[in-house]
Amino acid sequence: METKEIRKEKCVIVGSGPAGYTAAIYAARANMNPVLYTGREPGGQLMITTDVENFPGYPDGVMGPQMMEDLQKQAARFDTEINVGIMIEKVDFSSRPHKLWTDGGQEIHADSVIIATGASARWLGIESEKKYMNRGVSACAVCDGFFYRGKEVAIVGAGDSACEEASYLSKLCPKVHMFVRRDEMRASKIMQERVLNNDKIQVYWNTEIEEILGDEQGVTGVQIVNNKSKETQKLDLWGVFVAIGHVPNTKIFADFLDMDDTGYLITKAGSTKTNIEGVFASGDAQDKDYRQAVTAAGTGCMAALDAERYLAAEGLI
Ligand code: NDP
């Protein structure tokens, strides 16, 4: 709900992944009247996931978008106000109440703020990657791999995600070219072995993509370079999957909240408290180690409980 008047709220939740919705369920049941802003991609990363088999309580697994719909319904059932598609694009945490502004210019004053803005895929940052985005360039093999059935593809990265996605793609594609920028992988041994023992996956060590090649239809190949020998090579292929990690969505908080050198918010040990009183951080925005739906939900619950205790101690509820 956007009005010209300043909105005054007890609890504003920024983000709509498992952390945001779980925070909303707990905050609403504690009579904090939470107001949640979903951001431009309601549901977050799980919206681009298919089967989720490791979230407790779903013995047969659940599709990511279905799980997010269920979580949203559960949050709405307890009267969370859910503002779909609205971004918080600016904050001022220098004095209380905390101030936030939506992309529509709505100003909000909040006694407590729960950050659940998650993380987004990291990209290589080359021009041709942008040019062929969604026309052969993707950051989600599980979402887009299907379009490349029977075609050769490439994957960049050497972490667990890259290995998992390479294995996944090898079930659909005759050949997967995997580019690793060093002479070893960061991925766990078991994931590496799966890749190295898979005949359909060819690993190129010390190799980076210089350019993604294409035409008006989309990607047609890549130019790669061996960063040791400086030798370059062109390969014909149809899809490039980038699996080089994630970046937390925390830029708008940079002037106020402590974060590590990669942008992950820092919380006080054993809690979701940030360096600013009344501002709590949950989910992937503050977690670079676990990054699971269930851990995000867990920290969303913690953030709501921390916010409730804070509001009670301050006499604000
Ligand atoms: P990671 O940060 O673990 O790995 C990123 C990889 O991308 C690294 O190998 C890195 O190379 C490489 N990389 C980064 N930037 C570039 C670049 N510009 N060009 C080429 N390569 C680049 O991210 P993941 O997403 O793989 O994993 C994140 C977390 O999630 C990890 O803790 C992982 O264990 C976990 N995870 C677990 C899974 C499972 O257990 N089933 C599945 C997926 C993820 P370098 O090593 O040289 O830095």
Side-chain angles (χ1 to χ4, degrees):
M1 190 175 49
E2 304 252 343
T3 70
K4 289 252 181 316
E5 276 168 43
I6 294 171
R7 292 192 59 164
K8 296 191 167 71
E9 306 298 342
K10 287 197 213 76
C11 178
V12 168
I13 299 169
V14 191
S16 56
Y21 283 137
T22 305
I25 293 163
Y26 274 78
R29 295 184 79 253
N31 284 339
M32 289 156 69
N33 309 115
V35 176
L36 181 148
Y37 291 87
T38 67
R40 283 201 198 102
E41 288 158 29
Q45 291 181 71
L46 277 160
M47 296 303 283
I48 53 164
T49 308
T50 53
D51 280 304
V52 179
E53 295 185 328
N54 53 11
F55 198 91
Y58 290 102
D60 302 319
V62 58
M63 299 305 266
Q66 182 62 53
M67 189 170 121
M68 295 323 298
E69 196 184 315
D70 292 347
L71 273 169
Q72 184 186 0
K73 270 194 205 144
Q74 197 174 349
R77 183 180 146 209
F78 298 110
D79 291 335
T80 300
E81 181 188 313
I82 299 172
N83 294 282
V84 177
I86 299 181
M87 276 299 266
I88 296 296
E89 64 172 19
K90 197 175 107 183
V91 298
D92 181 351
F93 295 157
S94 61
S95 62
R96 286 184 277 172
H98 300 303
K99 296 168 195 64
L100 305 95
W101 287 267
T102 69
D103 49 3
Q106 172 74 58
E107 183 171 344
I108 307 148
H109 291 187
D111 292 329
S112 67
V113 178
I114 295 175
I115 297 170
T117 46
S120 304
R122 176 182 288 134
W123 296 100
L124 297 170
I126 53 177
E127 242 350 274
S128 47
E129 176 186 52
K130 260 196 226 135
K131 188 169 170 191
Y132 296 110
M133 188 74 65
N134 300 326
R135 290 196 300 137
V137 175
S138 164
C140 180
V142 176
C143 326
D144 299 330
F146 188 74
F147 303 121
Y148 301 91
R149 272 174 313 162
K151 296 180 173 169
E152 288 194 24
V153 295
I155 185 148
V156 191
D160 282 335
S161 299
C163 287
E164 194 171 74
E165 300 208 349
S167 300
Y168 177 84
L169 289 167
S170 73
K171 292 179 197 143
L172 300 167
C173 307
K175 183 149 189 186
V176 180
H177 304 268
M178 182 168 183
F179 308 131
V180 175
R181 68 177 173 182
R182 291 186 292 135
D183 57 4
E184 59 177 355
M185 292 196 202
R186 182 185 295 267
S188 54
K189 279 280 165 292
I190 184 164
M191 304 283 262
Q192 288 191 37
E193 273 162 24
R194 250 178 238 165
V195 162
L196 296 170
N197 293 331
N198 186 328
D199 291 342
K200 288 187 175 174
I201 305 174
Q202 181 172 350
V203 176
Y204 300 67
W205 303 102
N206 302 306
T207 298
E208 294 171 48
I209 291 187
E210 266 190 342
E211 215 55 75
I212 298 170
L213 311 169
D215 57 23
E216 53 294 334
Q217 305 294 319
V219 169
T220 57
V222 286
Q223 174 157 320
I224 51 174
V225 60
N226 182 302
N227 56 30
K228 287 258 160 73
S229 67
K230 305 294 175 214
E231 230 173 90
T232 62
Q233 191 183 343
K234 275 188 187 160
L235 299 172
D236 293 335
L237 44 83
W238 301 94
V240 176
F241 290 87
V242 180
I244 60 171
H246 287 81
V247 186
N249 299 319
T250 56
K251 232 187 214 156
I252 60 166
F253 310 114
D255 289 343
F256 304 98
L257 299 184
D258 290 345
M259 40 183 82
D260 70 10
D261 53 8
T262 49
Y264 285 91
L265 297 173
I266 296 173
T267 50
K268 300 212 168 88
S271 83
T272 61
K273 292 177 188 165
T274 66
N275 56 303
I276 301 271
E277 278 205 75
V279 179
F280 305 89
S282 60
D284 285 10
Q286 53 84 56
D287 170 20
K288 66 169 157 198
D289 295 320
Y290 302 103
R291 305 193 322 101
Q292 299 301 301
V294 66
T295 49
T299 54
C301 157
M302 287 166 64
L305 295 177
D306 286 341
E308 183 192 357
R309 284 177 197 145
Y310 165 79
L311 292 174
E314 295 286 313
L316 295 164
I317 48 169

PDB file of all heavy atoms in Angstrom, residues 279-311:
ATOM      1  N   VAL A 279      17.741  -3.314  14.173  1.00  0.00           N
ATOM      2  CA  VAL A 279      17.889  -3.850  12.807  1.00  0.00           C
ATOM      3  C   VAL A 279      18.480  -5.264  12.902  1.00  0.00           C
ATOM      4  O   VAL A 279      19.540  -5.456  13.512  1.00  0.00           O
ATOM      5  CB  VAL A 279      18.796  -2.952  11.925  1.00  0.00           C
ATOM      6  CG1 VAL A 279      18.946  -3.549  10.525  1.00  0.00           C
ATOM      7  CG2 VAL A 279      18.231  -1.543  11.851  1.00  0.00           C
ATOM      8  N   PHE A 280      17.778  -6.216  12.318  1.00  0.00           N
ATOM      9  CA  PHE A 280      18.149  -7.623  12.438  1.00  0.00           C
ATOM     10  C   PHE A 280      18.364  -8.211  11.037  1.00  0.00           C
ATOM     11  O   PHE A 280      17.675  -7.813  10.088  1.00  0.00           O
ATOM     12  CB  PHE A 280      17.043  -8.380  13.185  1.00  0.00           C
ATOM     13  CG  PHE A 280      16.746  -7.746  14.516  1.00  0.00           C
ATOM     14  CD1 PHE A 280      15.790  -6.723  14.629  1.00  0.00           C
ATOM     15  CD2 PHE A 280      17.461  -8.103  15.646  1.00  0.00           C
ATOM     16  CE1 PHE A 280      15.546  -6.097  15.842  1.00  0.00           C
ATOM     17  CE2 PHE A 280      17.225  -7.478  16.877  1.00  0.00           C
ATOM     18  CZ  PHE A 280      16.270  -6.464  16.973  1.00  0.00           C
ATOM     19  N   ALA A 281      19.315  -9.133  10.932  1.00  0.00           N
ATOM     20  CA  ALA A 281      19.634  -9.681   9.604  1.00  0.00           C
ATOM     21  C   ALA A 281      19.450 -11.191   9.606  1.00  0.00           C
ATOM     22  O   ALA A 281      19.861 -11.880  10.551  1.00  0.00           O
ATOM     23  CB  ALA A 281      21.058  -9.323   9.225  1.00  0.00           C
ATOM     24  N   SER A 282      18.828 -11.706   8.554  1.00  0.00           N
ATOM     25  CA  SER A 282      18.554 -13.142   8.470  1.00  0.00           C
ATOM     26  C   SER A 282      18.818 -13.651   7.058  1.00  0.00           C
ATOM     27  O   SER A 282      18.993 -12.859   6.128  1.00  0.00           O
ATOM     28  CB  SER A 282      17.091 -13.397   8.854  1.00  0.00           C
ATOM     29  OG  SER A 282      16.234 -12.706   7.963  1.00  0.00           O
ATOM     30  N   GLY A 283      18.833 -14.968   6.920  1.00  0.00           N
ATOM     31  CA  GLY A 283      18.941 -15.580   5.586  1.00  0.00           C
ATOM     32  C   GLY A 283      20.302 -15.388   4.926  1.00  0.00           C
ATOM     33  O   GLY A 283      21.303 -15.072   5.583  1.00  0.00           O
ATOM     34  N   ASP A 284      20.325 -15.563   3.613  1.00  0.00           N
ATOM     35  CA  ASP A 284      21.595 -15.559   2.871  1.00  0.00           C
ATOM     36  C   ASP A 284      22.311 -14.209   2.913  1.00  0.00           C
ATOM     37  O   ASP A 284      23.512 -14.154   2.640  1.00  0.00           O
ATOM     38  CB  ASP A 284      21.365 -15.946   1.399  1.00  0.00           C
ATOM     39  CG  ASP A 284      21.117 -17.434   1.241  1.00  0.00           C
ATOM     40  OD1 ASP A 284      20.945 -18.114   2.276  1.00  0.00           O
ATOM     41  OD2 ASP A 284      21.090 -17.914   0.095  1.00  0.00           O
ATOM     42  N   ALA A 285      21.613 -13.132   3.220  1.00  0.00           N
ATOM     43  CA  ALA A 285      22.261 -11.814   3.280  1.00  0.00           C
ATOM     44  C   ALA A 285      23.331 -11.793   4.376  1.00  0.00           C
ATOM     45  O   ALA A 285      24.246 -10.968   4.340  1.00  0.00           O
ATOM     46  CB  ALA A 285      21.224 -10.728   3.544  1.00  0.00           C
ATOM     47  N   GLN A 286      23.222 -12.715   5.344  1.00  0.00           N
ATOM     48  CA  GLN A 286      24.204 -12.759   6.437  1.00  0.00           C
ATOM     49  C   GLN A 286      24.845 -14.144   6.571  1.00  0.00           C
ATOM     50  O   GLN A 286      25.479 -14.436   7.562  1.00  0.00           O
ATOM     51  CB  GLN A 286      23.560 -12.320   7.751  1.00  0.00           C
ATOM     52  CG  GLN A 286      22.277 -13.067   8.134  1.00  0.00           C
ATOM     53  CD  GLN A 286      22.484 -14.386   8.841  1.00  0.00           C
ATOM     54  OE1 GLN A 286      23.152 -14.417   9.870  1.00  0.00           O
ATOM     55  NE2 GLN A 286      21.930 -15.468   8.291  1.00  0.00           N
ATOM     56  N   ASP A 287      24.660 -15.001   5.582  1.00  0.00           N
ATOM     57  CA  ASP A 287      25.149 -16.374   5.724  1.00  0.00           C
ATOM     58  C   ASP A 287      25.847 -16.835   4.460  1.00  0.00           C
ATOM     59  O   ASP A 287      25.199 -17.124   3.458  1.00  0.00           O
ATOM     60  CB  ASP A 287      23.954 -17.296   6.029  1.00  0.00           C
ATOM     61  CG  ASP A 287      24.329 -18.766   5.959  1.00  0.00           C
ATOM     62  OD1 ASP A 287      25.524 -19.090   6.052  1.00  0.00           O
ATOM     63  OD2 ASP A 287      23.409 -19.596   5.795  1.00  0.00           O
ATOM     64  N   LYS A 288      27.160 -16.908   4.514  1.00  0.00           N
ATOM     65  CA  LYS A 288      27.825 -17.400   3.308  1.00  0.00           C
ATOM     66  C   LYS A 288      28.221 -18.858   3.441  1.00  0.00           C
ATOM     67  O   LYS A 288      28.746 -19.442   2.511  1.00  0.00           O
ATOM     68  CB  LYS A 288      29.020 -16.527   2.948  1.00  0.00           C
ATOM     69  CG  LYS A 288      30.156 -16.538   3.896  1.00  0.00           C
ATOM     70  CD  LYS A 288      31.323 -15.823   3.211  1.00  0.00           C
ATOM     71  CE  LYS A 288      32.286 -15.303   4.216  1.00  0.00           C
ATOM     72  NZ  LYS A 288      33.153 -14.293   3.693  1.00  0.00           N
ATOM     73  N   ASP A 289      27.964 -19.444   4.610  1.00  0.00           N
ATOM     74  CA  ASP A 289      28.424 -20.811   4.843  1.00  0.00           C
ATOM     75  C   ASP A 289      27.368 -21.869   4.552  1.00  0.00           C
ATOM     76  O   ASP A 289      27.661 -22.880   3.939  1.00  0.00           O
ATOM     77  CB  ASP A 289      28.879 -20.962   6.293  1.00  0.00           C
ATOM     78  CG  ASP A 289      30.084 -20.093   6.574  1.00  0.00           C
ATOM     79  OD1 ASP A 289      30.953 -20.031   5.686  1.00  0.00           O
ATOM     80  OD2 ASP A 289      30.150 -19.461   7.643  1.00  0.00           O
ATOM     81  N   TYR A 290      26.147 -21.649   5.005  1.00  0.00           N
ATOM     82  CA  TYR A 290      25.146 -22.713   4.894  1.00  0.00           C
ATOM     83  C   TYR A 290      24.222 -22.510   3.701  1.00  0.00           C
ATOM     84  O   TYR A 290      23.982 -23.416   2.934  1.00  0.00           O
ATOM     85  CB  TYR A 290      24.351 -22.819   6.203  1.00  0.00           C
ATOM     86  CG  TYR A 290      25.243 -23.077   7.391  1.00  0.00           C
ATOM     87  CD1 TYR A 290      25.562 -22.057   8.280  1.00  0.00           C
ATOM     88  CD2 TYR A 290      25.811 -24.322   7.591  1.00  0.00           C
ATOM     89  CE1 TYR A 290      26.411 -22.287   9.361  1.00  0.00           C
ATOM     90  CE2 TYR A 290      26.653 -24.564   8.665  1.00  0.00           C
ATOM     91  CZ  TYR A 290      26.953 -23.538   9.546  1.00  0.00           C
ATOM     92  OH  TYR A 290      27.793 -23.772  10.596  1.00  0.00           O
ATOM     93  N   ARG A 291      23.655 -21.339   3.581  1.00  0.00           N
ATOM     94  CA  ARG A 291      22.870 -20.935   2.407  1.00  0.00           C
ATOM     95  C   ARG A 291      21.772 -21.937   2.033  1.00  0.00           C
ATOM     96  O   ARG A 291      21.564 -22.228   0.870  1.00  0.00           O
ATOM     97  CB  ARG A 291      23.803 -20.672   1.210  1.00  0.00           C
ATOM     98  CG  ARG A 291      24.900 -19.658   1.508  1.00  0.00           C
ATOM     99  CD  ARG A 291      25.635 -19.150   0.296  1.00  0.00           C
ATOM    100  NE  ARG A 291      25.876 -20.136  -0.711  1.00  0.00           N
ATOM    101  CZ  ARG A 291      25.167 -20.270  -1.830  1.00  0.00           C
ATOM    102  NH1 ARG A 291      24.172 -19.466  -2.079  1.00  0.00           N
ATOM    103  NH2 ARG A 291      25.459 -21.192  -2.689  1.00  0.00           N
ATOM    104  N   GLN A 292      21.119 -22.479   3.002  1.00  0.00           N
ATOM    105  CA  GLN A 292      20.044 -23.435   2.735  1.00  0.00           C
ATOM    106  C   GLN A 292      18.702 -22.797   3.043  1.00  0.00           C
ATOM    107  O   GLN A 292      18.606 -21.907   3.885  1.00  0.00           O
ATOM    108  CB  GLN A 292      20.229 -24.683   3.617  1.00  0.00           C
ATOM    109  CG  GLN A 292      21.529 -25.409   3.366  1.00  0.00           C
ATOM    110  CD  GLN A 292      21.635 -25.862   1.919  1.00  0.00           C
ATOM    111  OE1 GLN A 292      20.800 -26.610   1.430  1.00  0.00           O
ATOM    112  NE2 GLN A 292      22.658 -25.401   1.230  1.00  0.00           N
ATOM    113  N   ALA A 293      17.649 -23.305   2.398  1.00  0.00           N
ATOM    114  CA  ALA A 293      16.308 -22.782   2.676  1.00  0.00           C
ATOM    115  C   ALA A 293      15.974 -22.960   4.157  1.00  0.00           C
ATOM    116  O   ALA A 293      15.421 -22.061   4.798  1.00  0.00           O
ATOM    117  CB  ALA A 293      15.285 -23.507   1.804  1.00  0.00           C
ATOM    118  N   VAL A 294      16.360 -24.113   4.696  1.00  0.00           N
ATOM    119  CA  VAL A 294      15.985 -24.382   6.092  1.00  0.00           C
ATOM    120  C   VAL A 294      16.780 -23.508   7.062  1.00  0.00           C
ATOM    121  O   VAL A 294      16.234 -23.060   8.082  1.00  0.00           O
ATOM    122  CB  VAL A 294      16.101 -25.899   6.416  1.00  0.00           C
ATOM    123  CG1 VAL A 294      17.540 -26.378   6.350  1.00  0.00           C
ATOM    124  CG2 VAL A 294      15.491 -26.221   7.757  1.00  0.00           C
ATOM    125  N   THR A 295      18.030 -23.216   6.752  1.00  0.00           N
ATOM    126  CA  THR A 295      18.797 -22.336   7.651  1.00  0.00           C
ATOM    127  C   THR A 295      18.302 -20.894   7.512  1.00  0.00           C
ATOM    128  O   THR A 295      18.255 -20.149   8.487  1.00  0.00           O
ATOM    129  CB  THR A 295      20.322 -22.420   7.394  1.00  0.00           C
ATOM    130  OG1 THR A 295      20.564 -22.283   5.992  1.00  0.00           O
ATOM    131  CG2 THR A 295      20.901 -23.721   7.876  1.00  0.00           C
ATOM    132  N   ALA A 296      17.921 -20.517   6.297  1.00  0.00           N
ATOM    133  CA  ALA A 296      17.366 -19.172   6.101  1.00  0.00           C
ATOM    134  C   ALA A 296      16.077 -19.030   6.914  1.00  0.00           C
ATOM    135  O   ALA A 296      15.872 -18.039   7.629  1.00  0.00           O
ATOM    136  CB  ALA A 296      17.102 -18.913   4.624  1.00  0.00           C
ATOM    137  N   ALA A 297      15.214 -20.054   6.834  1.00  0.00           N
ATOM    138  CA  ALA A 297      13.966 -20.017   7.602  1.00  0.00           C
ATOM    139  C   ALA A 297      14.285 -19.928   9.095  1.00  0.00           C
ATOM    140  O   ALA A 297      13.662 -19.151   9.834  1.00  0.00           O
ATOM    141  CB  ALA A 297      13.129 -21.249   7.297  1.00  0.00           C
ATOM    142  N   GLY A 298      15.285 -20.693   9.528  1.00  0.00           N
ATOM    143  CA  GLY A 298      15.668 -20.684  10.946  1.00  0.00           C
ATOM    144  C   GLY A 298      16.101 -19.296  11.411  1.00  0.00           C
ATOM    145  O   GLY A 298      15.666 -18.816  12.467  1.00  0.00           O
ATOM    146  N   THR A 299      16.922 -18.633  10.603  1.00  0.00           N
ATOM    147  CA  THR A 299      17.387 -17.309  11.029  1.00  0.00           C
ATOM    148  C   THR A 299      16.271 -16.268  10.881  1.00  0.00           C
ATOM    149  O   THR A 299      16.259 -15.270  11.603  1.00  0.00           O
ATOM    150  CB  THR A 299      18.652 -16.857  10.263  1.00  0.00           C
ATOM    151  OG1 THR A 299      18.399 -16.944   8.859  1.00  0.00           O
ATOM    152  CG2 THR A 299      19.852 -17.709  10.625  1.00  0.00           C
ATOM    153  N   GLY A 300      15.320 -16.518   9.986  1.00  0.00           N
ATOM    154  CA  GLY A 300      14.145 -15.622   9.885  1.00  0.00           C
ATOM    155  C   GLY A 300      13.344 -15.686  11.182  1.00  0.00           C
ATOM    156  O   GLY A 300      12.910 -14.656  11.724  1.00  0.00           O
ATOM    157  N   CYS A 301      13.167 -16.889  11.703  1.00  0.00           N
ATOM    158  CA  CYS A 301      12.481 -17.081  12.986  1.00  0.00           C
ATOM    159  C   CYS A 301      13.252 -16.362  14.091  1.00  0.00           C
ATOM    160  O   CYS A 301      12.681 -15.614  14.888  1.00  0.00           O
ATOM    161  CB  CYS A 301      12.379 -18.583  13.272  1.00  0.00           C
ATOM    162  SG  CYS A 301      12.180 -18.993  14.994  1.00  0.00           S
ATOM    163  N   MET A 302      14.579 -16.546  14.112  1.00  0.00           N
ATOM    164  CA  MET A 302      15.408 -15.886  15.142  1.00  0.00           C
ATOM    165  C   MET A 302      15.255 -14.366  15.071  1.00  0.00           C
ATOM    166  O   MET A 302      15.154 -13.689  16.102  1.00  0.00           O
ATOM    167  CB  MET A 302      16.887 -16.249  14.930  1.00  0.00           C
ATOM    168  CG  MET A 302      17.248 -17.678  15.317  1.00  0.00           C
ATOM    169  SD  MET A 302      18.878 -18.143  14.671  1.00  0.00           S
ATOM    170  CE  MET A 302      19.966 -17.026  15.551  1.00  0.00           C
ATOM    171  N   ALA A 303      15.247 -13.836  13.849  1.00  0.00           N
ATOM    172  CA  ALA A 303      15.163 -12.377  13.688  1.00  0.00           C
ATOM    173  C   ALA A 303      13.845 -11.841  14.248  1.00  0.00           C
ATOM    174  O   ALA A 303      13.817 -10.798  14.915  1.00  0.00           O
ATOM    175  CB  ALA A 303      15.303 -12.010  12.210  1.00  0.00           C
ATOM    176  N   ALA A 304      12.752 -12.577  14.004  1.00  0.00           N
ATOM    177  CA  ALA A 304      11.453 -12.120  14.524  1.00  0.00           C
ATOM    178  C   ALA A 304      11.454 -12.164  16.049  1.00  0.00           C
ATOM    179  O   ALA A 304      10.953 -11.241  16.708  1.00  0.00           O
ATOM    180  CB  ALA A 304      10.331 -12.981  13.953  1.00  0.00           C
ATOM    181  N   LEU A 305      12.029 -13.222  16.623  1.00  0.00           N
ATOM    182  CA  LEU A 305      12.079 -13.321  18.097  1.00  0.00           C
ATOM    183  C   LEU A 305      12.983 -12.226  18.672  1.00  0.00           C
ATOM    184  O   LEU A 305      12.650 -11.599  19.689  1.00  0.00           O
ATOM    185  CB  LEU A 305      12.574 -14.709  18.514  1.00  0.00           C
ATOM    186  CG  LEU A 305      11.659 -15.887  18.151  1.00  0.00           C
ATOM    187  CD1 LEU A 305      12.292 -17.214  18.555  1.00  0.00           C
ATOM    188  CD2 LEU A 305      10.291 -15.744  18.808  1.00  0.00           C
ATOM    189  N   ASP A 306      14.110 -11.976  18.002  1.00  0.00           N
ATOM    190  CA  ASP A 306      15.015 -10.901  18.471  1.00  0.00           C
ATOM    191  C   ASP A 306      14.314  -9.545  18.379  1.00  0.00           C
ATOM    192  O   ASP A 306      14.440  -8.710  19.273  1.00  0.00           O
ATOM    193  CB  ASP A 306      16.304 -10.873  17.625  1.00  0.00           C
ATOM    194  CG  ASP A 306      17.247 -12.032  17.959  1.00  0.00           C
ATOM    195  OD1 ASP A 306      17.095 -12.625  19.049  1.00  0.00           O
ATOM    196  OD2 ASP A 306      18.130 -12.334  17.128  1.00  0.00           O
ATOM    197  N   ALA A 307      13.568  -9.335  17.291  1.00  0.00           N
ATOM    198  CA  ALA A 307      12.871  -8.054  17.107  1.00  0.00           C
ATOM    199  C   ALA A 307      11.776  -7.893  18.166  1.00  0.00           C
ATOM    200  O   ALA A 307      11.599  -6.808  18.733  1.00  0.00           O
ATOM    201  CB  ALA A 307      12.264  -7.987  15.705  1.00  0.00           C
ATOM    202  N   GLU A 308      11.079  -8.990  18.457  1.00  0.00           N
ATOM    203  CA  GLU A 308      10.013  -8.925  19.457  1.00  0.00           C
ATOM    204  C   GLU A 308      10.590  -8.559  20.829  1.00  0.00           C
ATOM    205  O   GLU A 308      10.066  -7.690  21.528  1.00  0.00           O
ATOM    206  CB  GLU A 308       9.311 -10.286  19.523  1.00  0.00           C
ATOM    207  CG  GLU A 308       8.142 -10.299  20.478  1.00  0.00           C
ATOM    208  CD  GLU A 308       7.639 -11.716  20.766  1.00  0.00           C
ATOM    209  OE1 GLU A 308       8.170 -12.689  20.180  1.00  0.00           O
ATOM    210  OE2 GLU A 308       6.730 -11.836  21.589  1.00  0.00           O
ATOM    211  N   ARG A 309      11.691  -9.201  21.180  1.00  0.00           N
ATOM    212  CA  ARG A 309      12.323  -8.904  22.481  1.00  0.00           C
ATOM    213  C   ARG A 309      12.783  -7.457  22.535  1.00  0.00           C
ATOM    214  O   ARG A 309      12.634  -6.775  23.536  1.00  0.00           O
ATOM    215  CB  ARG A 309      13.527  -9.833  22.701  1.00  0.00           C
ATOM    216  CG  ARG A 309      13.076 -11.207  23.086  1.00  0.00           C
ATOM    217  CD  ARG A 309      14.238 -12.174  23.236  1.00  0.00           C
ATOM    218  NE  ARG A 309      13.702 -13.533  23.216  1.00  0.00           N
ATOM    219  CZ  ARG A 309      14.313 -14.571  22.692  1.00  0.00           C
ATOM    220  NH1 ARG A 309      15.507 -14.457  22.167  1.00  0.00           N
ATOM    221  NH2 ARG A 309      13.736 -15.763  22.712  1.00  0.00           N
ATOM    222  N   TYR A 310      13.334  -7.001  21.412  1.00  0.00           N
ATOM    223  CA  TYR A 310      13.810  -5.608  21.354  1.00  0.00           C
ATOM    224  C   TYR A 310      12.640  -4.639  21.534  1.00  0.00           C
ATOM    225  O   TYR A 310      12.695  -3.715  22.350  1.00  0.00           O
ATOM    226  CB  TYR A 310      14.511  -5.376  20.015  1.00  0.00           C
ATOM    227  CG  TYR A 310      14.715  -3.919  19.691  1.00  0.00           C
ATOM    228  CD1 TYR A 310      15.748  -3.201  20.285  1.00  0.00           C
ATOM    229  CD2 TYR A 310      13.853  -3.251  18.821  1.00  0.00           C
ATOM    230  CE1 TYR A 310      15.908  -1.846  20.013  1.00  0.00           C
ATOM    231  CE2 TYR A 310      14.017  -1.911  18.538  1.00  0.00           C
ATOM    232  CZ  TYR A 310      15.041  -1.217  19.138  1.00  0.00           C
ATOM    233  OH  TYR A 310      15.199   0.111  18.878  1.00  0.00           O
ATOM    234  N   LEU A 311      11.557  -4.879  20.798  1.00  0.00           N
ATOM    235  CA  LEU A 311      10.399  -3.967  20.877  1.00  0.00           C
ATOM    236  C   LEU A 311       9.815  -3.977  22.291  1.00  0.00           C
ATOM    237  O   LEU A 311       9.431  -2.927  22.830  1.00  0.00           O
ATOM    238  CB  LEU A 311       9.323  -4.379  19.859  1.00  0.00           C
ATOM    239  CG  LEU A 311       9.684  -4.182  18.375  1.00  0.00           C
ATOM    240  CD1 LEU A 311       8.597  -4.757  17.475  1.00  0.00           C
ATOM    241  CD2 LEU A 311       9.895  -2.698  18.050  1.00  0.00           C
TER     242      LEU A 311
END
